[in-house]
Amino acid sequence: VRTLPYAAYSDPDVLARERELLFRPAWTYAGHLPEPGSYVTTRVAGVPVVAVRDRDGVLRAFVNVCRHRGAEVVSGGGRCTTLQCHYHAWTYGLDGALRAAPRAGDDLDRSELGLLPVAVDAWGPFVFVNVAEDPAPLAQTLGPLPDIVRSRGLDIGALRFHHRVEYGVDANWKVAIENYLECYHCAVAHPGFSQVVDVRPDEYELASHPTFASHYGHARDGEAQGQFHLVWPALKLNVMPAELPNLSIGPMWPASPSRTDGFLDYFFAPEATDAWIEAFLELDDQVGAEDAVLVASVQRGMASGVFEDGQLLLPSEELIAAFQAWVSAGVSPRG
Ligand code: FES
Ligand SMILES: [Fe+2]
């Protein structure tokens, strides 16, 4: 099985198509909104979005573009009672309605100038948004994933949000995702991780599904089960095989043909101590730094133009084959 053509990893036209056909229609993880007044901002294929939990606890999401002159209304995340634009202070309620516009008289028709609603849905504490018109429910994208996560031993409702980490790599988004989808490189490139997780092929499990792909590994020294899922196109969900419940979740998205950004929200069991979390993150950071070097190297090799494509090794790289089939189907002229 050959890889996708290397040209598809650097061509801006290919990326434009992928943004439009793969990222824009997808349910995109935005964050967690623990209480009334919580809000979080994100972008879906270039569309700024804000998700809020309103006063009654209801989730809402809007295009985060001001109806005055187009500024992004709010940034970051946190708590709020209204959504006030940082440019000229047009102020929207958590229902998106325009409440106030400084200096505006009665002739301004506020009813026509509310924030544009978009779809929002949740899986436990995880809030997703979708900018497509009338999308199918989130449950359809997730499929059996929530059941799998639970049956593999993790109760997501018992976790507490700890922090968010933003990161980026110098590689096409598909290089970053493909690197995530195999542990063929683990023994060679992640010695620290491989000391903790049994990465031998007979002990390490791969499974692909129509909307996501999964791998499972257990701790070398115990029963703890790890699970690593990738929901198409680019949402990661990691559970490390550790003594305490833990999870990190977050999307990656293309910043340019050769640059990919992302974030991970870390959640831990309430009993996890600062010292435990620190040791956990040290290993996590080490793996992340090692992967950043790998994918940048792949990007340079592909971009050299010497070879047209590469060779996939099955079954170790079967999730990459599944990902590439999904990408190809999604961007093909008939979709
Ligand atoms: S652009 Fe938002 S208030 Fe002017
Ligand atoms: Fe890796």
Side-chain angles (χ1 to χ4, degrees):
V1 178
R2 305 298 295 173
T3 64
L4 293 177
Y6 287 171
Y9 295 80
S10 55
D11 183 340
D13 295 336
V14 169
L15 181 61
R17 235 178 130 63
E18 291 168 342
R19 275 208 183 105
E20 197 55 33
L21 296 171
L22 305 181
F23 283 85
R24 206 180 162 106
W27 281 100
T28 301
Y29 173 78
H32 82 128
L33 297 170
E35 53 203 356
S38 295
Y39 79 98
V40 68
T41 57
T42 189
R43 260 183 279 167
V44 180
V47 180
V49 174
V50 56
V52 300
R53 193 177 288 283
D54 74 12
R55 241 180 264 191
D56 302 321
V58 177
L59 290 173
R60 297 173 181 277
F62 307 98
V63 172
N64 184 25
V65 174
C66 186
R67 299 300 303 278
H68 176 216
R69 279 185 29 235
E72 289 173 328
V73 180
V74 287
S75 56
R79 298 283 323 272
C80 63
T81 51
T82 60
L83 298 168
Q84 185 175 69
C85 183
H86 65 123
Y87 201 172
H88 315 90
W90 281 31
T91 303
Y92 304 87
L94 300 187
D95 59 356
L98 178 61
R99 296 256 187 273
R103 301 192 203 175
D106 290 342
D107 48 338
L108 184 75
D109 185 358
R110 289 171 176 72
S111 68
E112 293 293 312
L113 293 169
L115 295 177
L116 191 68
V118 297
V120 60
D121 206 346
W123 164 25
F126 312 137
V127 176
F128 290 71
V129 295
N130 192 315
V131 299
E133 219 172 293
D134 215 5
L138 172 65
Q140 204 161 310
T141 289
L142 297 178
L145 182 58
D147 287 340
I148 290 172
V149 168
R150 196 180 318 114
S151 69
R152 295 262 173 177
L154 186 76
D155 174 8
I156 58 169
L159 298 168
R160 253 190 227 154
F161 176 74
H162 191 265
H163 71 295
R164 174 173 290 192
V165 172
E166 293 177 357
Y167 66 105
V169 292
D170 290 317
N172 182 268
W173 73 276
K174 298 189 294 302
V175 173
I177 296 307
E178 288 164 8
N179 174 66
Y180 180 85
L181 286 174
E182 49 93 356
C183 209
Y184 182 27
H185 71 274
C186 292
V188 186
H190 298 309
F193 178 85
S194 301
Q195 237 166 44
V196 176
V197 182
D198 195 336
V199 297
R200 290 173 300 173
D202 290 348
E203 297 294 321
Y204 202 88
E205 204 184 324
L206 305 174
S208 65
H209 301 263
T211 57
F212 64 98
S214 309
H215 25 144
Y216 307 100
H218 62 84
R220 282 192 190 270
D221 68 350
E223 295 291 287
Q225 293 289 327
Q227 29 178 327
F228 307 92
H229 306 280
L230 192 284
V231 183
W232 312 142
L235 174 69
K236 296 174 175 180
L237 194 154
N238 309 295
V239 178
M240 282 292 285
E243 318 81 81
L244 292 177
N246 66 86
L247 175 145
S248 60
I249 181 172
M252 296 193 85
W253 61 89
S256 80
S258 58
R259 174 79 188 174
T260 304
D261 290 327
F263 69 80
L264 283 171
D265 282 350
Y266 284 84
F267 294 79
F268 296 105
E271 64 267 31
T273 62
D274 290 350
W276 190 88
I277 291 171
E278 203 178 309
F280 177 98
L281 293 173
E282 202 174 308
L283 177 59
D284 230 49
D285 291 349
Q286 185 193 333
V287 173
E290 288 161 350
D291 280 326
V293 172
L294 298 174
V295 297
S297 156
V298 170
Q299 187 70 24
R300 287 191 300 271
M302 284 178 164
S304 67
V306 177
F307 298 106
E308 270 178 26
D309 59 9
Q311 174 73 39
L312 288 182
L313 189 95
L314 303 180
S316 292
E317 295 176 327
E318 66 180 66
L319 300 188
I320 297 182
F323 170 71
Q324 296 193 345
W326 182 83
V327 168
S328 299
V331 298
S332 77
R334 283 169 195 280

